[in-house]
Amino acid sequence: MIYPVILCGGSGTRLWPTSRRAYPKQFAELLGRESLFQATLKRLSGKDFAAPMVVTSDDFRFIATEQAGAIGLDDARFVVEPSARDTAAAILSAALMLADHEDAVMLVAPSDHVIADVPAFLTAVQTAAKAVEDTGALLTLGVTCDRPETGYGYLELASPPKDGAALPLTRFCEKPDAETAARMVASGKKLWNSGIFLFRVADVIAAFSKHAPDLMLPCQAAVDQGKEDLNFFRLDATAYEKIEPISFDFAIMEKAANSMTVPVSAGWSDLGSWDAIWRISEPDTDGVATHGSVTAFDCRDSYLRSEDDAIHLVGLGLNGIVAVAMRDAVLVADKARAQDAKNVVAVLRAAEVPQADHAPRFHRPWGWYETLCMDSRFQVKRIMVLPGGVLSLQSHVHRSEHWVVVAGTAEVTIGEKVQLVTENQGVYIPLGTVHRMANRGQLPMYLIEV
Amino acid sequence: MIYPVILCGGSGTRLWPTSRRAYPKQFAELLGRESLFQATLKRLSGKDFAAPMVVTSDDFRFIATEQAGAIGLDDARFVVEPSARDTAAAILSAALMLADHEDAVMLVAPSDHVIADVPAFLTAVQTAAKAVEDTGALLTLGVTCDRPETGYGYLELASPPKDGAALPLTRFCEKPDAETAARMVASGKKLWNSGIFLFRVADVIAAFSKHAPDLMLPCQAAVDQGKEDLNFFRLDATAYEKIEPISFDFAIMEKAANSMTVPVSAGWSDLGSWDAIWRISEPDTDGVATHGSVTAFDCRDSYLRSEDDAIHLVGLGLNGIVAVAMRDAVLVADKARAQDAKNVVAVLRAAEVPQADHAPRFHRPWGWYETLCMDSRFQVKRIMVLPGGVLSLQSHVHRSEHWVVVAGTAEVTIGEKVQLVTENQGVYIPLGTVHRMANRGQLPMYLIEV
């Protein structure tokens, strides 16, 4: 059995506007009808895998559980990091939580990558698991390079890689410039660093003791003093906050003597920017790839994406352009500059543009809401309440509310009175009245609030 | 007194998505807070002008009256063309309707042009009016060329133009190619054809009798058999449909011996494509012009426009791009290809993409509505009912409705019962019930329908 540990705390902005701090890339339906997080969970399920451990943040814990639930996964363990401390602390904490299985192999995977050829990936994982069991190595899956990519880190081997064989690693290389990248690919002894790791629990803990001993005490304390909270395990905030953020590559992999890799050609991408999405979206002979409700007219070498069936995106005479349309935000970029989207988000954030970080849909423990229409005198929202979801008791001094249930049944409390409001029924909450809503049913409940 | 005739029947698509068949350019707030139609009405008001005649279509008559009302213009005459028959028929019909004032000067103007320097324009109009009174000429205002524009027709003079003087016209020139345009501008004897005409009523009718006699009978019949309909004058459909569509330039101006022009430099543009909008929007030193909620990051020579405060449009590293974002449609185009937007709309129309022709807001005699949210089981609409507006009595077999009034007071009829529903009140229309809504108040009434 392999113990999957899925890192799900990132909040990348290089795929803005689809990926935002409040609803990052791993949760978006970037490719197909499931999120990258859901695809990662599915890929690491089945008879060879134990129930996964998902390391996520306070902000994302409800999105993560909702998405896991939506694909029928009910045995995942959710570990909440009280603050972001980079990958070394997340991986060590996970290892310490698995310390009862010290001989077990754990597999650490980001939640926001794509792997097109899952059987090839799983074959490589089996090879890797056997290698770490046999050797006690710390292993990184290496991806066969097919172009001089400057957006990835590289792994250096002593000799050219052979698919299906574990090999010792001689060096980790940072993201290169274009010239260095071309030389590395030409050398035939380089692989891309996938950021997917395999090792035995005891071996990685030993490596931390040796190469990053400062992390041991606070991580152990964060685990020991951590608390169950609903269905989450929350690492102790005081202990965790003492940790100096550092990546696992820097803290451990670059220092470990016994590092290995297994090369894999499995259609892997970290989807690190819109040009990576374009590449993986199988552009046509003109180099044009589209997603959603789009018309491309005399375009070349471009990626056109509409995130909403109600928005039709048209490209006319474009060359080397990325355009992404959402209900509240549109990005149009030079494709060669796609990596700079994160800088744009920093500018938007500084200018206090809400779209920098917020997404149109606000996720809450009980479900989500989105604004359909905002005016100086009124607002219209669409609200979804999960089965079992309960909104806290509240009253408003400056607004009254009209609710119309459009799917499911709401249990509505107004003052002392509790009533069931079913599909196609409305209810009025006068200004200043204490009220609450809950979904006691088995299916999501939707309502429109005016 | 000059009699303004404003042509307001066009439904251009070169400014898609802002301009659509259902809500064309002249009604959009392309520049500033009033529409081009409203600006045209204002420009042709005042002590020198009689009440304007607005020639429009069945589809636009309610938008036109609503927009005229919104700027406080209550003496305009609205003439409805039962079908589009190009400018010659529209101008002749208007002239025949003014036949009681046969010595009067009429000024014919499109409703979708911009004129930045209104005093300079009005001075030229006075010069032109005097010239046509003195000479009986048919006069076109000519615009001083400042670049070899291929998107305009040209007027040829016998000698170089002098501002403020009426001059004879020797020839009309079609839209040229780039080389011809450069030669024409260099000649110093060319002006752009503004499409704004002045002539005495009797003179233009005489010109039609001579050069386009086939138009005389059907236009006279369309006027004679036309009918008052609410506050519109509706030309007779049977007569009007017999007319062969032809432009006034082709039918009359190119044939008339006594044609003249007055040159004017008044910041005129026909706003015929997005690059014209870019030009008139005063691009910054990088050539970037923006409108609405937009961030331009390292862009050059581009026009970025958001039509909705709730949509933030970001340009990143763009060069020579036009991007226009609306709630239901986004255009991203090579600026040099902006003129081709009309071809794109034809493609969208052929593909039955609703955004080709429909706008998010549907205008009706009683006001407008827009869809806020569409689902398989429900829909949410925002509805505005004008003062005095009445929706027809109706009932729905497949839907019930919840109405919440958010501004104003609705008179709601459900079955036999009539009730007033005021701001912050809701009402339920059961499936199959006959119902109607009206606004008997003095201000627009807004409601949300679920």
Side-chain angles (χ1 to χ4, degrees), chain A residues 333-344:
Chain A
D334 177 356
K335 188 155 75 67
R337 296 282 305 273
Q339 304 263 355
D340 293 341
K342 64 176 187 299
N343 301 330
V344 171

Side-chain angles (χ1 to χ4, degrees), chain A residues 102-276:
Chain A
E102 63 173 11
D103 290 329
V105 173
M106 57 191 277
L107 179 156
V108 179
S111 55
D112 59 351
H113 293 180
V114 68
I115 291 171
D117 185 349
V118 175
F121 167 75
L122 292 176
T123 301
V125 165
Q126 290 302 335
T127 305
K130 183 158 191 328
V132 304
E133 277 178 336
D134 291 349
T135 64
L138 306 186
L139 189 145
T140 310
L141 290 185
V143 180
T144 314
C145 321
D146 58 13
R147 62 182 189 277
E149 173 65 54
T150 57
Y152 297 147
Y154 286 70
L155 308 173
E156 184 179 277
L157 307 175
S159 55
K162 286 183 292 188
D163 252 27
L167 298 162
L169 259 176
T170 54
R171 199 161 64 91
F172 278 73
C173 315
E174 295 296 294
K175 291 179 185 178
D177 59 30
E179 197 184 322
T180 312
R183 209 168 51 238
M184 288 206 221
V185 173
S187 78
K189 293 192 290 189
K190 295 287 196 300
L191 296 168
W192 289 328
N193 182 355
S194 71
I196 302 171
F197 305 103
L198 288 97
F199 26 69
R200 282 193 307 218
V201 172
D203 296 332
V204 75
I205 294 174
F208 271 100
S209 296
K210 183 168 179 187
H211 300 298
D214 290 353
L215 286 171
M216 291 296 292
L217 271 178
C219 279
Q220 188 69 60
V223 170
D224 291 347
Q225 292 154 35
K227 291 204 169 51
E228 299 290 341
D229 171 12
L230 300 172
N231 47 346
F232 306 102
F233 180 79
R234 187 182 288 278
L235 295 165
D236 182 69
T238 312
Y240 211 71
E241 271 158 18
K242 290 185 184 135
I243 297 167
E244 197 65 38
I246 184 169
S247 78
F248 184 69
D249 273 352
F250 272 122
I252 304 298
M253 291 305 291
E254 299 192 5
K255 295 173 181 160
N258 57 340
S259 61
M260 297 190 82
T261 188
V262 168
V264 58
S265 305
W268 170 90
S269 169
D270 77 348
L271 302 178
S273 61
W274 283 117
D275 58 329

Side-chain angles (χ1 to χ4, degrees), chain A residues 184-405:
Chain A
M184 288 206 221
V185 173
S187 78
K189 293 192 290 189
K190 295 287 196 300
L191 296 168
W192 289 328
N193 182 355
S194 71
I196 302 171
F197 305 103
L198 288 97
F199 26 69
R200 282 193 307 218
V201 172
D203 296 332
V204 75
I205 294 174
F208 271 100
S209 296
K210 183 168 179 187
H211 300 298
D214 290 353
L215 286 171
M216 291 296 292
L217 271 178
C219 279
Q220 188 69 60
V223 170
D224 291 347
Q225 292 154 35
K227 291 204 169 51
E228 299 290 341
D229 171 12
L230 300 172
N231 47 346
F232 306 102
F233 180 79
R234 187 182 288 278
L235 295 165
D236 182 69
T238 312
Y240 211 71
E241 271 158 18
K242 290 185 184 135
I243 297 167
E244 197 65 38
I246 184 169
S247 78
F248 184 69
D249 273 352
F250 272 122
I252 304 298
M253 291 305 291
E254 299 192 5
K255 295 173 181 160
N258 57 340
S259 61
M260 297 190 82
T261 188
V262 168
V264 58
S265 305
W268 170 90
S269 169
D270 77 348
L271 302 178
S273 61
W274 283 117
D275 58 329
I277 302 280
W278 164 79
R279 192 185 306 281
I280 206 121
S281 302
E282 300 179 0
D284 65 18
T285 51
D286 291 325
V288 175
T290 69
H291 174 102
S293 180
V294 169
T295 297
F297 190 93
D298 283 354
C299 293
R300 299 163 62 91
D301 185 33
S302 292
Y303 183 67
L304 302 172
R305 179 181 181 99
S306 168
E307 292 282 3
D308 194 320
D309 290 343
I311 303 173
H312 196 78
L313 169 64
V314 171
L316 162 60
L318 302 177
N319 193 349
I321 294 289
V322 164
V324 181
M326 293 184 76
R327 186 140 51 88
D328 66 335
V330 178
L331 172 72
V332 183
D334 177 356
K335 188 155 75 67
R337 296 282 305 273
Q339 304 263 355
D340 293 341
K342 64 176 187 299
N343 301 330
V344 171
V345 174
V347 167
L348 297 180
R349 199 173 278 154
E352 296 182 358
V353 175
Q355 287 92 336
D357 291 319
H358 294 295
R361 193 169 278 182
F362 287 78
H363 288 264
R364 290 290 176 269
W366 44 260
W368 51 254
Y369 71 90
E370 57 191 14
T371 296
L372 299 178
C373 175
M374 175 84 89
D375 196 273
S376 57
R377 302 268 298 147
F378 68 93
Q379 185 176 181
V380 184
K381 287 182 191 165
R382 180 184 193 178
I383 299 175
M384 187 279 277
V385 184
L386 288 163
V390 180
L391 281 71
S392 60
L393 207 63
Q394 54 190 294
S395 71
H396 308 292
V397 180
H398 296 296
R399 74 174 198 237
S400 41
E401 292 174 355
H402 299 256
W403 291 347
V404 177
V405 174

